[in-house]
């Protein structure tokens, strides 16, 4: 269902949203022309007896079956620090400071300005879970972070959430202006798919899996996921003195329309499955895809990540009413101020915490079928998300 929202700013954001479909179509079409090209040396040819062997780069060694004690001894802090460092290095190399300098400084400000790197970590951990290697996951890990950053730049704009603080730093439009911020978001959105298409095959990921990963990521931020936009000229006449229109679909239109209104649990879950969980899910699923996961494995990862994605939002809602802006690195209490329906508002603070615990158990249940050593990062990432403080 399509709806229109008034905005008190010029319709610059429409321009950004209108580029989305073009970006994805261009990358997929260009990549499709290379589908029949000879694979790089060292890759396993398509059609090999095992789909798992033919799919992607595989790890040299296989972790032993060590059982649950390995899960308990796993050092998540060390894992996140090391993987996060390599993700940051990859992002730095992917988006260097080059001409035109202004747009790349804007892109790098938001992309490299901190963050927990949860989406890239999910992509890498899911890839390794099914037997793949970090190198195979890094392109989709970086792409997921680029798409996430794009969404943050747009969320912070004056005609959206109008936020001046992100990750403890001034938001993009505050430093660079709205026009440059929007263009930086467009550039990150487009480059995310280009980066996967150009980089994944170089590390030996089979072409059909690269395309599947691109489709998964693009769907997560499209009309069936995070947000979509386009201009409907015939609808403009329905509004008088309209200075701008934000045309939104799915989660974000519902999210905005819920401010000051009562909604039930089903609607709230729908909002956040699309708005927050979908990109987290896509990061993990695309990692499992390029890692060579079988269909059943990929679907288990999908269910795990959906629970974790919803958990992320539940915890965000809890932190919004229990932490300060200084502790969060972003403006606290905005949901309460705008009378937006949240999990603490709907369930109470204790009820929201209980729901978060239920989601952790659901996520952990999906990991039971995998080798415990390989599953340890995802097991602890779920608990990190549940018990984080910012």
């Amino acid at each position: 269902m399509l709806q229109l929202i008034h905005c008190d700013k010029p319709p610059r954001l429409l321009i950004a949203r209108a580029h989305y479909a073009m970006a994805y179509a261009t990358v997929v079409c260009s990549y499709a022309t290379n589908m029949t090209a000879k694979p790089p040396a060292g890759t396993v040819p398509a059609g090999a007896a095992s789909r798992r062997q033919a799919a992607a780069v595989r790890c040299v060694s296989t972790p032993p079956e060590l059982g649950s004690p390995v899960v308990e001894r796993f050092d998540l802090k060390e894992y996140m620090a090391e993987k996060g460092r390599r993700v940051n290095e990859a992002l730095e190399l992917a988006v260097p400071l080059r001409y035109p300098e202004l747009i790349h400084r804007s892109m790098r400000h938001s992309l490299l300005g901190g963050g927990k790197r949860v989406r890239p970590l999910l992509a890498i951990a899911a890839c390794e879970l099914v037997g793949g290697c970090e190198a195979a996951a890094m392109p989709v890990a970086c792409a997921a972070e680029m798409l996430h950053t794009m969404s943050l730049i747009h969320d912070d704009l004056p005609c959206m959430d109008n936020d001046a603080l992100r990750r403890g730093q001034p938001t993009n439009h505050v430093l660079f202006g709205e026009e440059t911020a929007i263009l930086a978001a467009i550039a990150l959105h487009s480059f995310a798919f280009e980066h996967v298409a150009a980089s994944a095959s170089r590390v030996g990921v089979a072409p059909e899996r690269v395309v599947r990963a691109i489709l998964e990521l693009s769907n997560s931020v499209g009309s069936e996921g995070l947000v979509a936009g386009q201009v409907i000229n015939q609808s403009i006449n329905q509004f008088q003195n309209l200075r701008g229109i934000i045309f939104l679909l799915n989660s974000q239109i519902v999210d905005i329309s819920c401010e000051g209104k009562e909604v039930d649990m089903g609607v709230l879950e729908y909002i956040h499955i699309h708005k927050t969980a979908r990109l987290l899910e896509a990061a993990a699923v695309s990692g499992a895809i390029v890692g060579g996961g079988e269909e059943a494995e990929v679907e288990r990862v999908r269910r795990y990540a959906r629970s974790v994605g919803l958990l992320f939002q539940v915890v965000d809602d809890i932190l919004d009413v229990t932490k300060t802006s200084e502790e969060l690195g972003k403006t606290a209490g905005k949901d309460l101020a705008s009378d937006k329906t949240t999990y603490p508002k709907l369930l109470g603070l204790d009820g929201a915490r209980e729901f978060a615990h239920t989601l952790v158990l659901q996520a952990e249940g999906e990991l039971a079928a995998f080798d415990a050593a390989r599953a340890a990062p995802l097991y602890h990432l779920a608990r990190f998300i549940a018990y984080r403080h910012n």
Side-chain angles (χ1 to χ4, degrees), residues 17-29:
R17 308 298 190 185
H19 284 278
Y20 285 5
M22 290 190 296
Y24 164 62
T26 299
V27 172
V28 172
C29 288

Side-chain angles (χ1 to χ4, degrees), residues 261-297:
K261 298 180 181 179
E262 295 295 330
V263 299
D264 61 21
M265 187 70 170
V267 173
L268 190 62
E269 186 168 311
Y270 172 86
I271 293 168
H272 294 308
I273 282 176
H274 290 77
K275 184 182 178 185
T276 302
R278 187 63 188 90
L279 183 53
L280 284 157
E281 175 187 325
V285 169
S286 61
I289 289 171
V290 299
E294 301 287 352
E295 288 304 314
E297 293 174 322

Side-chain angles (χ1 to χ4, degrees), residues 114-371:
K116 294 176 282 293
R117 306 303 190 210
V118 170
R119 291 153 191 82
L121 290 174
L122 282 171
I124 293 169
C127 180
E128 294 175 337
L129 176 72
V130 299
C133 281
E134 181 185 297
M138 193 59 76
V140 296
C142 290
E145 190 66 15
M146 292 174 195
L147 293 173
H148 175 54
T149 303
M150 171 274 297
S151 73
L152 297 182
I153 294 173
H154 279 171
D155 281 349
D156 292 335
L157 286 169
C159 59
M160 295 290 282
D161 289 348
N162 193 23
D163 234 322
L165 191 67
R166 173 70 66 178
R167 293 171 173 169
Q169 300 293 326
T171 49
N172 201 293
H173 70 274
V174 170
L175 285 183
F176 298 97
E178 290 179 56
E179 295 87 349
T180 300
I182 290 169
L183 291 173
I186 295 172
L188 286 169
H189 181 277
S190 301
F191 185 62
F193 305 121
E194 178 185 343
H195 185 65
V196 176
S199 302
S201 60
R202 293 175 189 165
V203 293
V205 180
E208 63 271 17
R209 290 199 174 245
V210 178
V211 171
R212 281 180 61 193
I214 291 173
L215 289 171
E216 186 71 35
L217 289 166
S218 63
N219 177 268
S220 73
V221 293
S223 62
E224 297 179 353
L226 176 67
V227 64
Q230 61 178 300
V231 178
I232 303 180
N233 291 329
Q234 64 269 29
S235 299
I236 295 178
N237 294 329
Q238 298 177 12
F239 300 90
Q240 294 181 347
N241 300 319
L242 185 63
R243 297 178 60 196
I245 301 172
I246 301 175
F247 178 71
L248 299 170
L249 187 61
N250 282 350
S251 59
Q252 293 219 357
I253 186 66
V254 179
D255 186 43
I256 292 172
S257 68
C258 286
E259 294 182 6
K261 298 180 181 179
E262 295 295 330
V263 299
D264 61 21
M265 187 70 170
V267 173
L268 190 62
E269 186 168 311
Y270 172 86
I271 293 168
H272 294 308
I273 282 176
H274 290 77
K275 184 182 178 185
T276 302
R278 187 63 188 90
L279 183 53
L280 284 157
E281 175 187 325
V285 169
S286 61
I289 289 171
V290 299
E294 301 287 352
E295 288 304 314
E297 293 174 322
V298 171
E299 289 309 307
R300 281 190 177 277
V301 168
R302 185 184 300 281
R303 291 191 296 270
Y304 162 87
R306 180 157 296 197
S307 294
V308 165
L310 196 54
L311 171 67
F312 196 95
Q313 185 60 53
V314 176
V315 175
D316 252 10
D317 286 356
I318 293 171
L319 293 176
D320 187 69
V321 297
T322 60
K323 298 293 182 179
T324 65
S325 297
E326 290 73 23
E327 289 173 312
L328 294 178
K330 60 183 180 180
T331 306
K334 290 198 71 175
D335 292 340
L336 185 62
S338 63
D339 196 28
K340 183 182 290 187
T341 301
T342 63
Y343 287 99
K345 181 180 177 181
L346 202 62
L347 302 175
L349 195 55
D350 289 342
R353 286 171 172 154
E354 184 177 342
F355 183 45
H357 180 67
T358 298
L359 290 169
V360 171
L361 296 179
Q362 289 177 359
E364 290 174 355
E366 297 298 339
L367 300 177
F370 294 99
D371 171 70

